[in-house]
Each structure stands twice: as structure tokens, then as C-alpha cells.
Amino acid sequence: MSLKNFIDSLDGLLGEAKQSLDSVTSNDQLEALRVRFVGAKSGAIKAVQKLMGSIESEHRPVAGKRFNEVRDAIQSALDAATVRLGGGGSQLSDGPQIDPTLPGIRPTLGQLHPITQTIEHLKDIMGRLGFNVTEGPEIEDTWHNFVALNIPEDHPARDPLDNFYLATAKKQVHNPADRDAMLLRSQTSTVQIRVMETQPLPLRIISLGRVYRPDAPDATHFPMFNQMEGLWVDNHVTMAQLKSVLRLFATSYLGSDVHVRFRPSFFPFTEPSVEVDYWWNGNWVEFGGAGMVDPNVFQALGIDSEEWSGFAFGLGVERLCMRRFGIVDIRDLYRSDVRFLRQFAS
Ligand code: DAH
């Protein structure tokens, strides 16, 4: 075969392929064209390639080069047609490949943990009552956790069995009375001290955060939980204001039919002290403690207790959260089971 005839047939094939591929409208047609032009056994390209053997050897390099160009151009035209028809190739049927009327697939979004939601909610309510939010460290010294709170050395609350004292690299703590001993704070009342040490009076703060006690976990106990601490110090703060604030808080958070009860109690850092109960499902349920700041606490901080008075309270955040969401086992909050947690969408 002459070189000219060979090149003519290549060009003819390319023209034909381009024309038909440019106008192809279905994947079935496209597949038929693929077989016709580049099919491995009897495709047109294959047939032309066979003719190369009959070309004089001096013309073969030119013929081969042109052959490669045409083969590549046909392959490109096939690829372009495949993309134009949706990129699916032969296994896809005709027609549009997506149904734009179907609802979208919702991306999985995270959500706030119920305790985090509760904390935000409590901050919001107390903020409206004029309380500023402060924070304190979870690793504390005995001064802030006990001493300044009027908890004497021999008080059972300081027992190593009831606290997570830290054996730091620097210091092995054997004697919890040691002022340098560090522990995971057992109460957020520590923040009362930190605030009165650093902020000018009068002040009105809340502090929300984790506390730690070596309790065996059960439905109502967990070795880590959250408290909301409140402190209001001013010239004439009264117990009546304490009760009003807690009642306002309770009705904002739990609903207007809630009742609040104070029961006489004892805490070293308040005098008088009360336990705070809310009426819930036919029962009084304890939510925390409160009282008037003990003069000894003011004294430890160099505050004149003749001039200043204050109230303080500490409430259990998990209890409030469980009450609101109807959760009955505190451990469920900390199992990290998203199937459980997902129920409490924010
Ligand atoms: N810190 C106490 C506890 O963890 C709760 C408490 C009681 C906090 C009385 C107070 C308070 O501020 O006045 O059990």
C-alpha cells in the first residue's frame, strides 16, 4: 500500500470518528462507537494498523507517526464524549444521572454535649441576674480548696480518701495539711477565694466547672462532675436576697411551678448555711448548698466583715441537666455514646 493511501484512510477514519463522536447522544451509542473504532479485536484502528505491514519500509516511520497521532486523537474524542455524557461509560443507562428533586444528604454535624448546653444556659440566666462569669483552675492548692474556706486541718473533707491529691514530680504529698499540696479541686468554692483575692468589691460572680471526688460511680455519683458556684459580696447582702436569686434562677431554668426550700445545714465557709432543695415530681431533691459568707473567710482575705457581707451557693450542674432532659443515670452523660447524646440536640 502506498503511503498516500494509508494516510488518506487514516484521515478519513479520524474525520468519521470525530463526526460521529461529536454527535453521539447516549451511552449505548458511545459504547458502539468505542467498539467500532478502538475495539481490541476488530476495531477500525486495529484494521488500519495491520495495513502498516504493507508499506515500504522507508515510509514506515512517517506512517507510524501519523498512525499514533490519529489513534490518540480518536481516543481523546472518545474521552470527551464520555465526559459529556456523564462520565459513566457503558454501565450507565441513558438519561440524566442525578435526580435533582431528591432531598439532599444531610451532612453529619456535631452538637454540644448536654452538660455544655446546660452550662451555657445557666450562664445566660445568671448573666441576666447580673452575675459575671469567672473561671478558676481545676488543679488547686490546699489554701484555695480548704484553708481560706475555713476548712480546718482535721476536717474530714480534707481526708486523702475523699480527695484526689496529686503526687507531683516535685513533691510527694503524704500530708494533705501541707499548704503546698496540690489536688484536683473538690468544689468550685475555690473560685470564691480566687475572686476575692483579685477583684475589687462589690462583686457578683458565678463560676462553672469540673470538680473531682473519689466516689464510686453509680446512678447519682461520678468521680468528676460540674458545679455552679455563685458569690455576691456587697455592703448589705441578705439571706432573703439569696433565696430570691435562687428562686428566680430555679423558675427561669425549671419552670414557674418550681418551689425552693432551704434546710439548715453546715458548711465551714458559710454561716448560716443551708441545703437547697427543689420540688421535683412529688419529692424534694437536693441541688446544692448555700449560705452567708462566714466572717472567717473574709478575714482570711483581709476583708472587713463589718463593712461587707455576702452570700454564696454551689449547685450541681449534672442534677440540673438531668432534671431538665429527663436523664436518670449520671453515667450516661459520660459514656461518650453518641446514640445517647444525640437525643439532646441543641
Ligand atoms: N462547696 C459545697 C460542696 O461542694 C457546696 C456549697 C455549699 C457551695 C455552700 C457554697 C456554699 O458556695 O455557700 O458541697
Side-chain angles (χ1 to χ4, degrees):
M1 184 179 222
S2 76
L3 178 61
K4 180 165 185 316
N5 284 351
F6 180 72
I7 290 194
D8 282 350
S9 51
L10 272 178
D11 289 347
L13 182 58
L14 179 56
E16 190 188 335
K18 276 199 167 152
Q19 199 186 6
S20 47
L21 284 166
D22 281 352
S23 56
V24 68
T25 52
S26 77
N27 279 304
D28 288 348
Q29 287 173 13
L30 175 61
E31 182 57 18
L33 292 176
R34 188 190 311 280
V35 172
R36 179 168 143 210
F37 292 111
V38 301
K41 281 204 180 118
S42 52
I45 280 280
K46 207 80 194 167
V48 179
Q49 191 179 17
K50 282 187 190 143
L51 296 175
M52 281 243 267
S54 65
I55 290 178
E56 288 159 47
S57 56
E58 64 190 64
H59 294 312
R60 262 191 221 149
V62 178
K65 184 163 175 282
R66 185 64 193 147
F67 172 80
N68 287 342
E69 286 167 357
V70 167
R71 185 196 55 199
D72 293 346
I74 291 177
Q75 189 57 52
S76 300
L78 267 169
D79 292 345
T82 308
V83 170
R84 184 163 52 79
L85 291 180
S90 61
Q91 67 273 37
L92 288 182
S93 59
D94 290 345
Q97 299 305 314
I98 51 164
D99 178 353
T101 64
L102 285 175
I105 298 167
R106 209 180 260 272
T108 318
L109 287 182
Q111 66 182 53
L112 295 178
H113 189 280
I115 287 295
T116 311
Q117 291 178 43
T118 305
I119 287 174
E120 293 307 315
H121 193 170
L122 302 187
K123 282 182 187 169
D124 186 53
I125 294 172
M126 296 309 292
R128 277 186 268 130
L129 291 172
F131 286 78
N132 291 316
V133 178
T134 49
E135 280 185 15
E138 290 178 25
I139 295 178
E140 264 297 4
D141 50 38
T142 44
W143 167 256
H144 292 94
N145 203 90
F146 301 122
V147 181
L149 285 165
N150 199 32
I151 303 177
E153 253 174 54
D154 54 358
H155 195 281
R158 291 175 70 156
D159 195 305
L161 289 176
D162 290 329
N163 293 283
F164 287 110
Y165 284 98
L166 299 176
T168 59
K170 265 209 303 225
K171 187 165 206 141
Q172 201 68 27
V173 177
H174 297 301
N175 177 10
D178 186 336
R179 277 221 179 174
D180 295 332
M182 303 293 282
L183 73 161
L184 298 180
R185 67 179 176 192
S186 62
Q187 50 184 349
T188 47
S189 302
T190 53
V191 185
Q192 291 185 34
I193 303 303
R194 289 190 171 272
V195 167
M196 287 191 280
E197 278 173 342
T198 54
Q199 292 186 21
L201 304 181
L203 53 81
R204 202 187 320 178
I205 60 98
I206 52 161
S207 189
L208 286 128
R210 286 185 274 262
V211 301
Y212 302 85
R213 293 178 195 173
D215 288 334
D218 62 25
T220 54
H221 295 88
F222 205 70
M224 179 213 76
F225 58 100
N226 289 266
Q227 289 185 325
M228 174 168 73
E229 193 77 16
L231 175 69
W232 185 342
V233 181
D234 208 329
N235 294 122
H236 301 288
V237 178
T238 67
M239 193 101 178
Q241 284 170 322
L242 169 62
K243 193 157 189 186
S244 299
V245 165
L246 288 178
R247 198 167 42 77
L248 274 171
F249 162 74
T251 49
S252 296
Y253 186 67
L254 298 172
S256 54
D257 56 343
V258 120
H259 300 287
V260 180
R261 178 176 81 171
F262 280 3
R263 263 179 306 120
S265 185
F266 175 79
F267 296 101
F269 35 93
T270 42
E271 181 59 37
S273 302
V274 293
E275 257 156 311
V276 186
D277 298 339
Y278 294 138
W279 183 250
W280 177 13
N281 284 350
N283 292 304
W284 287 107
V285 182
E286 185 196 324
F287 279 90
M292 302 306 292
V293 178
D294 192 295
N296 284 346
V297 173
F298 282 142
Q299 208 181 335
L301 299 165
I303 295 171
D304 182 355
S305 59
E306 298 292 321
E307 186 186 349
W308 300 98
S309 56
F311 70 63
F313 61 85
L315 305 180
V317 173
E318 276 74 3
R319 290 216 171 158
L320 291 164
C321 169
M322 289 163 73
R323 159 79 172 83
R324 192 179 168 90
F325 290 120
I327 296 168
V328 292
D329 192 325
I330 190 174
R331 291 167 296 189
D332 285 335
L333 286 169
Y334 296 115
R335 272 191 244 274
S336 299
D337 183 342
V338 277
R339 292 167 306 173
F340 175 79
L341 297 172
R342 205 179 268 148
Q343 302 174 89
F344 311 102
S346 36

Short mmCIF file of all heavy atoms in Angstrom, two decimals, residues 10 18 49 56 112 134 166 194 211 235 264 295 298:
data_model
loop_
_atom_site.label_atom_id
_atom_site.label_comp_id
_atom_site.label_asym_id
_atom_site.label_seq_id
_atom_site.Cartn_x
_atom_site.Cartn_y
_atom_site.Cartn_z
N LEU A 10 -6.25 6.91 7.09
CA LEU A 10 -6.19 7.35 8.49
C LEU A 10 -7.01 8.63 8.68
O LEU A 10 -7.81 8.74 9.62
CB LEU A 10 -4.74 7.65 8.88
CG LEU A 10 -3.89 6.51 9.43
CD1 LEU A 10 -2.48 7.03 9.70
CD2 LEU A 10 -4.49 5.93 10.71
N LYS A 18 -14.53 11.58 14.56
CA LYS A 18 -14.84 12.84 15.20
C LYS A 18 -16.29 13.23 14.99
O LYS A 18 -17.00 13.63 15.91
CB LYS A 18 -13.93 13.95 14.66
CG LYS A 18 -12.59 13.99 15.36
CD LYS A 18 -11.94 15.33 15.15
CE LYS A 18 -10.77 15.50 16.08
NZ LYS A 18 -9.76 16.39 15.50
N GLN A 49 -3.97 -0.44 11.44
CA GLN A 49 -2.63 -0.78 11.92
C GLN A 49 -2.05 -1.96 11.14
O GLN A 49 -0.87 -2.00 10.82
CB GLN A 49 -2.69 -1.10 13.41
CG GLN A 49 -1.32 -1.20 14.07
CD GLN A 49 -1.45 -1.50 15.57
OE1 GLN A 49 -2.51 -1.93 16.03
NE2 GLN A 49 -0.40 -1.25 16.30
N GLU A 56 6.07 0.40 2.36
CA GLU A 56 7.50 0.24 2.16
C GLU A 56 8.24 0.72 3.39
O GLU A 56 7.87 1.73 4.01
CB GLU A 56 7.94 1.09 0.97
CG GLU A 56 7.48 0.50 -0.35
CD GLU A 56 7.48 1.56 -1.44
OE1 GLU A 56 8.50 2.29 -1.53
OE2 GLU A 56 6.47 1.71 -2.14
N LEU A 112 -23.56 20.24 70.76
CA LEU A 112 -22.98 20.41 72.09
C LEU A 112 -23.45 19.31 73.03
O LEU A 112 -24.62 18.91 73.00
CB LEU A 112 -23.37 21.78 72.65
CG LEU A 112 -22.83 22.98 71.89
CD1 LEU A 112 -23.32 24.28 72.51
CD2 LEU A 112 -21.31 22.95 71.85
N THR A 134 -16.71 33.85 85.90
CA THR A 134 -15.26 33.75 86.10
C THR A 134 -14.86 32.29 86.07
O THR A 134 -15.70 31.40 86.16
CB THR A 134 -14.82 34.31 87.47
OG1 THR A 134 -15.66 33.73 88.46
CG2 THR A 134 -14.91 35.80 87.52
N LEU A 166 -2.47 15.19 94.41
CA LEU A 166 -1.58 14.90 93.29
C LEU A 166 -0.17 14.64 93.80
O LEU A 166 0.37 15.43 94.58
CB LEU A 166 -1.56 16.07 92.31
CG LEU A 166 -2.91 16.42 91.68
CD1 LEU A 166 -2.77 17.66 90.81
CD2 LEU A 166 -3.42 15.25 90.85
N ARG A 194 -10.39 32.87 95.01
CA ARG A 194 -9.58 33.48 93.95
C ARG A 194 -10.15 34.83 93.52
O ARG A 194 -9.41 35.77 93.26
CB ARG A 194 -9.48 32.54 92.75
CG ARG A 194 -8.63 31.34 93.06
CD ARG A 194 -8.29 30.49 91.85
NE ARG A 194 -7.29 29.51 92.25
CZ ARG A 194 -5.98 29.72 92.23
NH1 ARG A 194 -5.49 30.88 91.79
NH2 ARG A 194 -5.14 28.78 92.63
N VAL A 211 -15.37 19.47 89.07
CA VAL A 211 -14.77 19.15 90.37
C VAL A 211 -14.60 17.63 90.45
O VAL A 211 -15.22 16.89 89.67
CB VAL A 211 -15.65 19.66 91.54
CG1 VAL A 211 -15.85 21.16 91.45
CG2 VAL A 211 -16.99 18.94 91.57
N ASN A 235 -22.35 45.67 100.40
CA ASN A 235 -22.46 46.21 101.75
C ASN A 235 -23.58 45.60 102.58
O ASN A 235 -23.43 45.41 103.78
CB ASN A 235 -22.62 47.73 101.70
CG ASN A 235 -21.37 48.38 101.15
OD1 ASN A 235 -21.43 49.09 100.14
ND2 ASN A 235 -20.23 48.12 101.77
N PRO A 264 -31.69 23.98 107.10
CA PRO A 264 -30.49 24.36 107.84
C PRO A 264 -29.41 23.29 107.68
O PRO A 264 -29.72 22.10 107.68
CB PRO A 264 -30.96 24.42 109.30
CG PRO A 264 -32.44 24.48 109.24
CD PRO A 264 -32.87 23.84 107.96
N PRO A 295 -17.59 35.11 108.34
CA PRO A 295 -16.61 36.17 108.59
C PRO A 295 -15.16 35.67 108.58
O PRO A 295 -14.26 36.40 108.20
CB PRO A 295 -17.00 36.69 109.98
CG PRO A 295 -18.44 36.31 110.14
CD PRO A 295 -18.66 35.07 109.34
N PHE A 298 -13.84 36.03 105.08
CA PHE A 298 -13.47 37.42 104.80
C PHE A 298 -12.14 37.77 105.48
O PHE A 298 -11.27 38.40 104.89
CB PHE A 298 -14.57 38.38 105.30
CG PHE A 298 -15.77 38.44 104.39
CD1 PHE A 298 -17.06 38.52 104.91
CD2 PHE A 298 -15.62 38.44 103.00
CE1 PHE A 298 -18.17 38.61 104.07
CE2 PHE A 298 -16.72 38.53 102.16
CZ PHE A 298 -17.99 38.61 102.69
#
